[in-house]
């Protein structure tokens, strides 16, 4: 089993930045695809972006392209989501997820192919 724990959420003003972290435990996730999803208040969960096990490929939803960056440190069993130029519309609970090993494709709008999930961290962007 893989356990995922997100951290780094909080309250930030529009235009600001936050970096979320997701630490994995239970087994190494170096060969797992890792992704971020979010659930805005009153809405369905949505795909934010994902990174392949080798970090050679990333995919993002259009609304965050150019503002958000996913990276991973396999030595630390951790994936990151750097969020810049935040907007009130980015307000949501952010979840990390994992699937693997060597699972492809990494993009998954529904999250149905991701096997492991964290508990989420709240990000609130004020206007």
């Amino acid at each position: 089993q893989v356990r995922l724990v997100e951290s780094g959420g909080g309250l930030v003003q529009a235009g600001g930045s936050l970096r979320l972290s997701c630490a994995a435990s239970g087994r190494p996730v170096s060969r797992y695809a890792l992704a971020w999803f979010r659930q805005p208040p009153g809405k369905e969960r949505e795909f934010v972006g994902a990174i392949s096990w080798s970090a050679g490929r990333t995919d993002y939803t259009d609304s965050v392209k150019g503002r958000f960056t996913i990276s991973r440190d396999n030595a630390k069993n951790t994936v990151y989501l750097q969020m810049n130029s935040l907007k009130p519309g980015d307000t949501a609970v952010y979840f990390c997820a994992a699937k693997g090993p060597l699972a492809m494709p990494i993009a998954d709008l529904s999250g149905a192919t991701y096997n492991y999930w964290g508990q989420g961290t709240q990000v609130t962007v004020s206007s």
Side-chain angles (χ1 to χ4, degrees):
Q1 292 292 324
V2 175
R3 181 170 179 258
L4 302 171
V5 179
E6 303 94 337
S7 61
L11 174 64
V12 63
Q13 288 189 329
S17 298
L18 279 176
R19 188 176 84 152
L20 305 184
S21 300
C22 174
S25 61
R27 63 177 61 175
V29 293
S30 58
R31 293 197 167 198
Y32 284 63
L34 300 171
W36 288 94
F37 292 79
R38 67 185 180 186
Q39 186 165 16
K43 296 184 179 181
E44 297 292 316
R45 184 179 65 197
E46 61 187 31
F47 174 76
V48 174
I51 186 166
S52 64
W53 68 274
S54 66
R57 181 181 176 87
T58 53
D59 278 305
Y60 299 94
T61 192
D62 286 346
S63 63
V64 308
K65 284 180 182 177
R67 301 189 299 123
F68 290 13
T69 302
I70 296 175
S71 61
R72 64 189 297 162
D73 185 337
N74 286 337
K76 295 183 178 180
N77 238 23
T78 300
V79 63
Y80 304 97
L81 179 65
Q82 177 66 46
M83 305 185 293
N84 299 328
S85 303
L86 282 161
K87 305 175 181 179
D90 295 318
T91 294
V93 178
Y94 283 72
F95 301 89
C96 69
K99 66 176 178 179
L102 305 180
M104 293 292 286
I106 60 174
D108 180 348
L109 297 184
S110 70
T113 63
Y114 278 83
N115 310 105
Y116 304 102
W117 293 83
Q119 83 290 346
T121 186
Q122 177 70 47
V123 171
T124 302
V125 184
S126 63
S127 58

